[in-house]
Amino acid sequence: MCGIVGAVSERDVHGILLEGLRRLEYRGYDSAGMAVRQADGSINRAREVGKVSALADFVEQNPCKGPLGIAHTRWATHGEPSQINAHPHMSGERLAIVHNGIIENYQELREALMAEGFEFTSQTDTEVVVHLIEKEYRVAGNVLQAVRAAIAQLRGAYALAVLHADEPDHLVVCREGSPLVIGVGIGEHFIASDQLALLPVTDRFMFLEEGDLADIRRDGVTIWDREGTPVERVVTRFEHGIDSADKGEFRHYMLKEIYEQPKVIKATMEGRITDRRVLEQALGTGANELLADVRHVQIIACGTSYHAGMVARYWIEELAGIACSVEVASEYRYRKHVIQPDTLFLCISQSGETADTLAALRQAKQAGFRAALAICNVPGSSLVRESDLVIMTHAGPEIGVASTKAFTTQLVSLLIFTLALARHNGLSEEREADIVTALHQLPGQIDDALALDGKIAELSRAFIDKNHSLFLGRGAMYPVAMEGALKLKEISYIHAEAYPAGELKHGPLALVDSEMPVVTVAPNNELLEKLKSNLEEVRARGGELFVFADGDAELKEQPGIHVMQIPGVHSITAPIVYTLPLQLLSYHVAVLKGTDVDQPRNLAKSVTVE
Ligand code: F6R
């Protein structure tokens, strides 16, 4: 989604703002802009459509320098991507704001402000906010009071940063439903919608809570909560090195993140399992006692995280014998549900800021669930702060829009969770030891899967002139096929649909011909024989098959059937290992097609609006 950066310093901040925007570009990227208070007391605003590099080129020719500034990358919600709709927005020449989120009552506010003589130049909901603050400033005479009065009239989600040319010593910021973090420097302070934006200038952060308003100065920060009471927010240190946010020797973040999986999977398991068991305290204090009471699990997530939840359902029902439902958050939040007694509410989210997932969690907290558990990758995110229990995935910053290492570390976390739950429900020590051993084997097996990179790159050539594709799997490999299809469509723009292989003959078989590549994940499990007959159905219709299969599966390479052998893996951990070749396949197809791998069109990394 949109990204915000701001700085209050003694030095010129335009370079800090630009670098921050570059680091936020992965969140949303149809236009970018900045506003800086210059030495002569005026505000200089620059806005460009396209990538941050376009803005950087512009400010190189037209300097935009000063010690106080705000900046923004936009992902259009109200109004097309254009210079006029890009942030910062201004009211007159002295007041500028950047905004992340959506103002729901913007239409009525806009009409009221127009009736009072405010002139609108954009189609955005944000422009309503800047005029509203200006209106209140005329009454209050200072920005802090004006912002406080203005936000009391807003409905919706927002993170705002406000700069006034007549108050050169500070920024005023606030959050309600959209993330905002304060970076603590020495004699300077920064703000951003994501701590990654500020890593070149600080590693110390304060996370604002819902309803917080803050006054950001060079020498200090004052924060008030929703009731207007001054509050302290703890300063935390960023745990991962600054390099974790750089591409290193890799051509794209996505490829770097695919290759990081052996390392981050190890990190996710560390301190949670011994050589044979899941540790009692693996999920934190009190978790074990809670799990003993759990009779149902309700999983909520979006996109890739939803697919992780779908895999977990197979594990939870098989190993723990506990009923598990999985639903996408955007659907769940808008329907009536029946909640069984002792149901655990489990949210999965890489960012911890996905608007629909957070909304579902907030509803759930009122709805009588036993407790809320989050599986999340971003410490300090709203999801982490608002859940009763948390399993952090330790994947490190994920920059590529297409989720890769976040997915596999979610799966590892979910499997550890399942084992902890299953132990209370009759899982034998032997079975637990068998699966924990399989977990320990994962980093090596993923290295083996990565070794197929060159062959998969070759295979990917068959996809570049195709417009459609099918992905098949059975059992827990069906959600893996869904994830493979999502990866391919989001970065290569090839239409990809996933089906449980047994559903083929109930409709999609009609689509199969020589122009329809069919990708299949076929570990050597109890469904293999059934899957083989499904593949025959495809072959008989002239469909070209790309099968990722266990070496023992006895699937032979022949005309129309390309077989990529995956080293043997445990049937429970197979969904994790088989994800890798599908990630590599979509990556190479996208590279061959020349799409923007890390920042695919129309998508944003962190979907903080509905
Ligand atoms: C796809 C992808 C998205 C996210 C979804 C949820 O590659 O990344 O589908 O998985 O937007 O995001 P989180 O996990 O941050 O809640």
Side-chain angles (χ1 to χ4, degrees), residues 427-449:
L427 184 77
S428 69
E429 281 184 21
E430 293 67 43
R431 188 93 204 267
E432 180 173 347
D434 175 46
I435 296 168
V436 170
T437 306
L439 275 169
H440 283 296
Q441 289 166 346
L442 276 175
Q445 290 169 339
I446 288 177
D447 271 331
D448 293 344

Side-chain angles (χ1 to χ4, degrees), residues 258-513:
I258 289 174
Y259 271 83
E260 278 173 353
Q261 288 174 104
K263 185 178 90 192
V264 295
I265 282 178
K266 226 187 236 164
T268 301
M269 296 190 294
E270 234 164 59
R272 292 183 169 140
I273 51 175
T274 66
D275 54 341
R276 292 176 57 81
R277 303 203 70 210
V278 170
L279 288 165
E280 292 266 305
Q281 295 309 320
L283 312 186
T285 330
N288 216 19
E289 295 71 21
L290 171 79
L291 293 190
D293 294 343
V294 168
R295 302 271 51 92
H296 297 91
V297 179
Q298 173 67 63
I299 299 181
I300 292 299
C302 302
T304 289
S305 299
Y306 167 69
H307 297 154
M310 294 267 293
V311 174
R313 185 179 63 176
Y314 289 90
W315 289 337
I316 292 169
E317 299 212 343
E318 178 178 341
L319 300 173
I322 279 189
C324 174
S325 317
V326 191
E327 194 165 341
V328 287
S330 53
E331 285 299 311
Y332 183 84
R333 64 181 287 199
Y334 287 115
R335 71 176 183 85
K336 298 257 178 294
H337 353 84
V338 178
I339 301 166
Q340 304 288 346
D342 293 318
T343 302
L344 179 71
F345 191 79
L346 199 175
C347 287
I348 310 169
S349 172
Q350 187 285 128
S351 62
E353 301 292 351
T354 301
D356 285 319
T357 308
L358 281 175
L361 169 67
R362 287 169 188 158
Q363 274 181 17
K365 290 180 84 173
Q366 316 296 322
F369 284 95
R370 182 70 178 76
L373 166 68
I375 292 190
C376 189
N377 193 39
V378 179
S381 60
S382 303
L383 190 71
V384 166
R385 283 184 284 110
E386 295 180 32
S387 298
D388 304 312
L389 289 172
V390 176
I391 308 178
M392 295 307 303
T393 46
H394 301 313
E398 190 180 66
I399 308 291
V401 162
S403 198
T404 52
K405 61 177 180 169
F407 178 67
T408 47
T409 53
Q410 285 168 350
L411 289 178
V412 167
S413 306
L414 284 159
L415 186 48
I416 291 175
F417 159 78
T418 304
L419 292 175
L421 181 66
R423 194 186 279 164
H424 297 284
N425 295 277
L427 184 77
S428 69
E429 281 184 21
E430 293 67 43
R431 188 93 204 267
E432 180 173 347
D434 175 46
I435 296 168
V436 170
T437 306
L439 275 169
H440 283 296
Q441 289 166 346
L442 276 175
Q445 290 169 339
I446 288 177
D447 271 331
D448 293 344
L450 288 171
L452 297 171
D453 195 5
K455 286 190 190 158
I456 295 173
E458 277 303 307
L459 213 63
S460 64
R461 295 184 184 284
F463 288 73
I464 45 175
D465 59 345
K466 298 290 186 286
N467 296 317
H468 306 277
S469 58
L470 278 178
F471 282 67
L472 304 179
R474 295 196 72 131
M477 303 308 281
Y478 165 49
V480 171
M482 291 169 80
E483 174 59 11
L486 178 64
K487 288 289 91 93
L488 189 69
K489 71 183 103 169
E490 70 184 320
I491 61 169
S492 75
Y493 315 147
I494 293 175
H495 171 221
E497 267 194 272
Y499 273 93
E503 274 293 291
L504 257 191
K505 53 184 158 311
H506 299 292
L509 205 51
L511 293 170
V512 173
D513 62 14

Side-chain angles (χ1 to χ4, degrees), residues 527-599:
L527 289 170
L528 181 63
E529 288 311 314
K530 293 197 183 303
L531 185 70
K532 281 183 182 168
S533 11
N534 300 142
L535 299 187
E536 285 306 318
E537 292 162 7
V538 172
R539 208 40 224 131
R541 273 89 190 166
E544 195 168 4
L545 279 160
F546 297 83
V547 189
F548 295 92
D550 192 299
D552 296 337
E554 289 172 8
L555 281 160
K556 300 254 166 337
E557 180 91 21
Q558 47 186 287
I561 307 188
H562 309 273
V563 181
M564 186 70 50
Q565 290 200 343
I566 306 292
V569 283
H570 194 290
S571 63
I572 291 288
T573 49
I576 304 172
V577 179
Y578 276 71
T579 294
L580 270 286
L582 301 189
Q583 293 172 343
L584 287 168
L585 178 69
S586 59
Y587 172 78
H588 288 297
V589 176
V591 169
L592 286 173
K593 290 197 74 176
T595 57
D596 191 339
V597 172
D598 285 329
Q599 299 171 349

Side-chain angles (χ1 to χ4, degrees), residues 52-123:
V52 173
S53 54
L55 179 69
D57 291 347
F58 179 82
V59 296
E60 186 151 325
Q61 303 303 319
N62 308 272
C64 192
K65 293 188 174 173
L68 179 74
I70 53 178
H72 191 266
T73 51
R74 177 167 187 257
W75 188 78
T77 54
H78 294 72
E80 58 178 11
S82 66
Q83 194 188 41
I84 276 175
N85 287 333
H87 299 216
H89 286 282
M90 296 185 70
S91 190
E93 298 295 313
R94 316 287 297 161
L95 176 69
I97 72 164
V98 287
H99 164 222
N100 182 8
I102 289 182
I103 305 301
E104 283 171 3
N105 58 336
Y106 89 102
Q107 201 59 46
E108 60 199 74
L109 288 169
R110 187 179 166 112
E111 278 159 25
L113 287 161
M114 283 171 77
E116 290 181 46
F118 284 95
E119 278 180 25
F120 282 76
T121 55
S122 78
Q123 292 115 35

